[in-house]
Structures are given as C-alpha cells and as structure tokens.
Amino acid sequence: MAPETNKSKQDTGHRLADYGELTHDLIEIAERSQELVNRFLTRKRAEGGFQVPDPEHVSNLFGELVQALLRDPKALVQAQLGFYRQMSDLWFNQMQRMMGADLPPLIEARPGDRRFKDDAWRDEFVFDYIKQSYLLTAEWVQRMIAETDGLDAHKREQIRFYARQYVEAMAPTNFALTNPQVIREAQASNGESLLRGLRNLLLDLEKGDGELLIKTTPDAAFKVGRDLATTPGKVIFQNDLMQLIQYAPSTAEVFERPLLIVPPWINKFYILDLKPRNSFIGWAVAQGFTVFVISWVNPEPEMAGKSFEDYMVEGPLAALDVIEQATAVEEHTIIGYCLGGTLTACLLAYMAAKGDRRIKAATFFTAMTDFEEAGELAVFIDDVQLDQLEDHMRQRGYLEARHMQRVFSMMRANDLIWSFVVHNYLLGREPMAFDLLHWNSDSTRMPAMMHSFYLRKMYQQNLLAMPGGLTMGDVPIDLGTIETPAYFLSTREDHIAPWRATYRGSRRFGRRVRFVLGGSGHIAGVINPASSSKYGYWLGDRDADDPEAWLDDAEHHEGSWWPDWAEWLGSQSGPRVAARIPGDGPLKPLENAPGSYVLKRSDTA
C-alpha cells in the first residue's frame, strides 16, 4: 500500500498536467478577480478615493524632481553617463569572470539584506548579473535624488522615501522569472506553487474587498486570551476610552508603589504580554511589581470628538485614582510606551503644574517628546496630506487601522511587504506563526480630533518641545517642569521614534534622566526578554546635549536591558509589602484579563 500512497501524493503535486482542471481553476480565478475589482471600486467611491499615500501627491513630488533635474541638464547628462559607465563596467567584469578571472563583484548587497541569500545570486552568472545590475541602479537613483539641486529638505526626503518604495518593489526577487528560488519551486511542483500563490493572493484581496491585505501569520495560529495576553489578572475599571487591568501577583511580597503601564493606542496593549516567554508584563509581575495596564478601546465613529486631553484625563489620570482605591497607596510609578509615552510626558507636566506629586518614577519606552527629527513618519506630514486626512476623518469619525498599518509597513517594506509577496504568492506557501506579526496586524482606529491634534501640534509644529506650546485643561504644558526621576529606553534601529530625537527630547525634562539605548528596533528592542543574549544595550554617564557625544562615551552591555530597569525601578518603588490580590480591595472585578476591549478587531478592509 505504501508505494501507491506515495504515487498518489506525487500525482497531486503535478495538478497542472490536468488541463481540464487547470482551465476550471483559471475560469474561477477570472470570475473572482472581476468581482474583486467591482467591490474595490464600490468601496473607493464610498470613501471618496482617499488613499495613503495619495497617488496624486506622490506624482507631484516626482514632477518637481523632474523639473529640478531639467534645470541643470549638464548635471543630468553627467549622471546618466556615469550610470552607463557603471553598467558597462559590470558587463565587462562579468565577461571576465565567465572566462575564469577571479574578480570581486562591483557591488554587494548590504549586510542584513536577506533578499539575495540564495546561493544562485552569487554562483550563477545570469542571476549574479541581474542582482548587481539592480543594486547599482538602486544606488544610482538614491544618489541622484540626494545630489539634485533645487529641492527643499522636506520634499527631498519625501521623494527619497517614495523612490525607495519603487526601487524595493522592482527588486528581481519580487518577480517569478527573475527569482531562482521561485523558478526551482515551480519546476519541482510542475507549476502548482504558482497556482497556490495565486489563490493566496485572491484570498488576501477578498479579505480587503479588492485592496491587498497581506496575511503575515496564519489566521487561527493565535487567539488573544488563549495564546497571547495570558498573564492572569482582572479588569477592575472601565470607561469610554479604556479598561484598567490589575495583574495577579506571582510573589508573596511586592513593592509598595504600584506600577501603571500606558501603552500606545495605535495598536493593542498586549505587545507587552505576548507569549509567556517574552511577556514584559508577566516578567515585571515576577519581579515583585504590582502591575496595572490600560487597555484602550478601539474607537467607533461616535468617538470622533475625543481629544488628546480626553485620553489623558480618562486614561492615566482616571487610572491613578482607581489604583489608589484598589491599593490604598497614594504614590505610584508609571511606564509610557511610544504614543503612550508622549501622553505620559504631557501628564507629568500637567501634574507638575497642578502640584500633583503622586508619580514618583516614570519610564519611557521609545517615546517622542521632541518631534524636530521625527524620522520617516515626517514624510506624511505636510499641509496637503494633513488636509486630505482631516477631510476623510470628518466623514468617517476616525482613521481606519489599515491606513496606519500601511504606513508602518512601507517604512520596512522589504521585511513587512515584499518578503511576504515572495513567500505567499510566488512560492505559494502559508506564512509561519509569529506572535509579533499577529499583534502587528491587530491595529486600531484613531479618533478624528485626537489624531489631527497629534499630527498637527506635535509632528508638524513640534509644540510639545516648546514651553507652554500646548495647553491641556487650561494648563500650559512645559516639559522643563518635570522633576520626576525618569528612565528613557530607546533603540538604535528605531524607524518610528529615532533614538537621537528621543535623546534630545529627554534633555528637555527638568532633571537629568537615565538614558538607555537598546539594540534592534521599535518593537524587538523593547521586547527583549531578560533571558535573551541578543542586541545588548548602552549606558552612559556623560552629560551631553549631542546624542553622538553621549554614545561615544557610553558603555555597551550584553543581553537585555530589562534587569537594569527592574533594579532602577525597584529603588524607586518603596519597601516590600504583602502581595495584593485583584478584587480583594473595594473594587470588584468586572471580568478576567485581558478584558473585552482588546478583543474588538478593526474592520481593516
């Protein structure tokens, strides 16, 4: 029986030999594709054609680049001649290598570029030539943009960003006929891999009503509350904007001062409570901290008028009052992550103006408080784009999650877009189960008023960095009034909150902070468990305004920064007391952690 079973498996792996079945499949695909086009056009008409990025805006930017190039035709001709020389040198180099010459390649992929890891890109003449030709072209495009006169700095950065999107999209790895791994897979499966990939593509398009929503992890691989966000706890309070979770202790004694975590509301809080092995919340509980976390609601249209000030008052300010009731302790510590950290900075300045000294120590994870060097997100900040965004939000009441998700994916397109295009559609495979990517796809909406304020007042005008530039609750916000001991954690490869910007923001506080620079990026550099030996971190004592001067004198440490933080916060958290059980105080639990707010997924289509 075994040989027949094996033969059967081989036969099903060569379905394209059955031309009748192939014809049926192609007809079905054509019909589904037409339906998708109709659904996409219907939805776009309903949305007024709003899109991030706006194609017309991008086209206008490249029109300005063309005009700038034509103003100096001599420089343009020289640039083109230089490109032709490079291509001629590449061809000559490859011909010599074919005849046996041992010559190094003219250009190599950058370290960490995983697109060209297949041996064929190095060992086979044709693929090596395609690779080097592409790399030389990509380098030339970016160099030409950098050297073209007549562009202001912001537009040059926008053009550079969108040119990179085009260049990365055109990589030979993204096309079936120029990717050696895809060709081998198609040959081995008699084309079945390409048909599977086409079906995967259609499923993702159907999920997005004609807009491509790339699946980055299997739909059923994770469930919040079952596989993720499993640290035991109770929801002890809720209002329109948030649920407050108190976690059950795992030690007999805990530090006296409770710890409140304020996560961003762009994504869900459980980035800090993924699988148990890399749960920051679970680990913090195990260190003896009484941990509370805010779980933000996923806003509906009726919340369009919720302001940044509302997020402060109904978020951490409300939570502090509840924590005091639950623990009978008036003094607290706090963590703000990303946008939650920006909110926490506003909160501390607000409380300082009010004479409220309840927060005795504050931690900031990759948090922006000075937006002068806001990184690549600034590409999307100008009057034209913000006007379009605000018009759209006025109609909807919020910004849909998929638009923010697309922006963040574009900032790391090779990792978050094109690698999955190759894996899912060209190789016809299912994505692997990865908890971080499940969280990444679980985005939330942004209320219209709050989001407009955040982008206009902070990203565009940088008013938070100016003493009294913002007012909340009739209180001028001045970071210089913050005297709370603070721990700033930034990460060296952060593309959302660039570390040099977060360093400069930390210098605006009224007292010197403990600044720590972790390895990796905005997420992996934070979620770097204490047991991990990856990345490392830098600590420095030099009192320097220049971040590079600080880094020059900083000492590198191996492993995770988590133990350093726990030691620092422990010294700010008072004596040990008997552990507190959620529900033992006057506030009775409403439901088990992770609560119901976190379970509501956005309509990402």
Side-chain angles (χ1 to χ4, degrees), residues 239-540:
N239 58 26
D240 287 347
L241 270 180
M242 63 93 172
Q243 290 187 318
L244 184 66
I245 300 170
Q246 179 182 358
Y247 288 95
S250 59
T251 56
E253 292 186 327
V254 295
F255 290 105
E256 182 180 35
R257 292 173 180 164
L259 168 64
L260 171 64
I261 299 178
V262 184
W265 52 96
I266 296 174
N267 286 88
K268 306 289 182 66
F269 81 88
Y270 66 88
I271 184 58
L272 295 170
D273 191 24
L274 295 170
K275 290 181 178 179
R277 62 177 173 78
N278 59 354
S279 168
F280 176 83
I281 288 174
W283 183 84
V285 168
Q287 307 315 300
F289 296 104
T290 303
V291 178
F292 295 79
V293 70
I294 289 174
S295 174
W296 299 104
V297 74
N298 198 352
E300 298 291 347
E302 57 268 23
M303 300 182 71
K306 288 293 184 181
S307 66
F308 201 89
E309 182 181 320
D310 289 331
Y311 270 80
M312 181 183 75
V313 173
E314 298 178 40
L317 266 178
L320 291 174
D321 293 338
V322 174
I323 293 170
E324 188 173 335
Q325 294 179 56
T327 63
V329 175
E330 296 182 357
E331 297 178 344
H332 318 275
T333 64
I334 194 168
I335 294 175
Y337 190 176
C338 187
L339 177 53
T342 305
L343 181 68
T344 298
C346 295
L347 171 73
L348 293 176
Y350 175 87
M351 294 177 72
K354 292 288 190 178
D356 187 341
R357 309 295 178 187
R358 284 180 291 171
I359 295 180
K360 298 302 180 182
T363 301
F364 296 86
F365 292 166
T366 61
M368 296 283 286
T369 53
D370 184 332
F371 292 78
E372 183 177 354
E373 300 177 37
E376 289 189 331
L377 278 176
V379 164
F380 302 92
I381 307 297
D382 56 45
D383 284 330
V384 172
Q385 294 181 97
L386 291 179
D387 287 346
Q388 291 174 334
L389 176 66
E390 287 166 346
D391 286 343
H392 177 73
M393 291 194 298
R394 272 192 291 270
Q395 298 172 32
R396 308 285 288 185
Y398 53 72
L399 179 66
E400 298 92 329
R402 70 177 186 276
H403 295 304
M404 291 292 294
Q405 191 172 353
R406 184 183 302 114
V407 166
F408 290 128
S409 294
M410 289 174 68
M411 294 168 72
R412 293 182 53 206
N414 282 333
D415 292 332
L416 296 178
I417 299 176
W418 300 114
S419 65
F420 289 100
V421 167
V422 173
H423 187 275
N424 298 5
Y425 309 146
L426 299 185
L427 295 173
R429 299 174 182 174
E430 283 292 307
M432 294 183 291
F434 189 15
D435 54 356
L436 192 73
L437 290 176
H438 178 92
W439 167 85
N440 189 60
S441 66
D442 193 6
S443 302
T444 56
R445 310 180 189 99
M446 300 291 273
M449 180 179 287
M450 184 287 305
H451 198 45
S452 178
F453 176 92
Y454 177 52
L455 296 180
R456 289 279 190 188
K457 303 299 184 183
M458 296 188 183
Y459 266 98
Q460 188 179 38
Q461 301 173 32
N462 197 24
L463 295 182
L464 181 56
M466 304 176 189
L470 297 176
T471 299
M472 294 190 185
D474 298 324
V475 172
I477 299 299
D478 183 355
L479 300 181
T481 64
I482 299 173
E483 296 290 341
T484 308
Y487 187 107
F488 259 77
L489 182 276
S490 295
T491 54
R492 196 165 187 178
E493 299 170 22
D494 196 331
H495 59 291
I496 296 172
W499 81 267
R500 293 169 184 82
T502 61
Y503 180 89
R504 290 192 173 94
S506 75
R507 301 286 295 177
R508 297 188 178 277
F509 280 43
R511 65 179 290 165
R512 190 178 173 195
V513 308
R514 183 176 180 83
F515 191 87
V516 180
L517 182 62
S520 194
H522 192 73
I523 302 300
V526 176
I527 312 305
N528 185 26
S531 59
S532 172
S533 59
K534 295 193 297 185
Y535 307 139
Y537 61 97
W538 288 262
L539 278 172

Side-chain angles (χ1 to χ4, degrees), residues 180-243:
Q181 184 183 12
V182 172
I183 293 171
R184 288 197 304 270
E185 187 82 11
Q187 290 174 333
S189 66
N190 198 29
E192 176 69 16
S193 59
L194 295 175
L195 190 58
R196 288 197 308 266
L198 188 54
R199 290 200 186 96
N200 289 344
L201 175 62
L202 284 172
L203 287 172
D204 287 351
L205 286 167
E206 287 172 339
K207 183 174 62 175
D209 272 345
E211 183 172 337
L212 183 60
L213 296 180
I214 301 174
K215 182 165 68 173
T216 57
T217 195
D219 295 331
F222 300 104
K223 182 178 179 181
V224 176
R226 182 195 68 191
D227 312 291
L228 310 174
T230 59
T231 301
K234 304 287 184 180
V235 175
I236 62 168
F237 173 81
Q238 70 181 41
N239 58 26
D240 287 347
L241 270 180
M242 63 93 172
Q243 290 187 318

Side-chain angles (χ1 to χ4, degrees), residues 9-25:
K9 289 182 178 180
Q10 289 175 352
D11 288 344
T12 58
H14 291 77
R15 290 180 53 211
L16 291 191
D18 184 344
Y19 295 108
E21 188 169 357
L22 172 60
T23 301
H24 177 271
D25 287 340

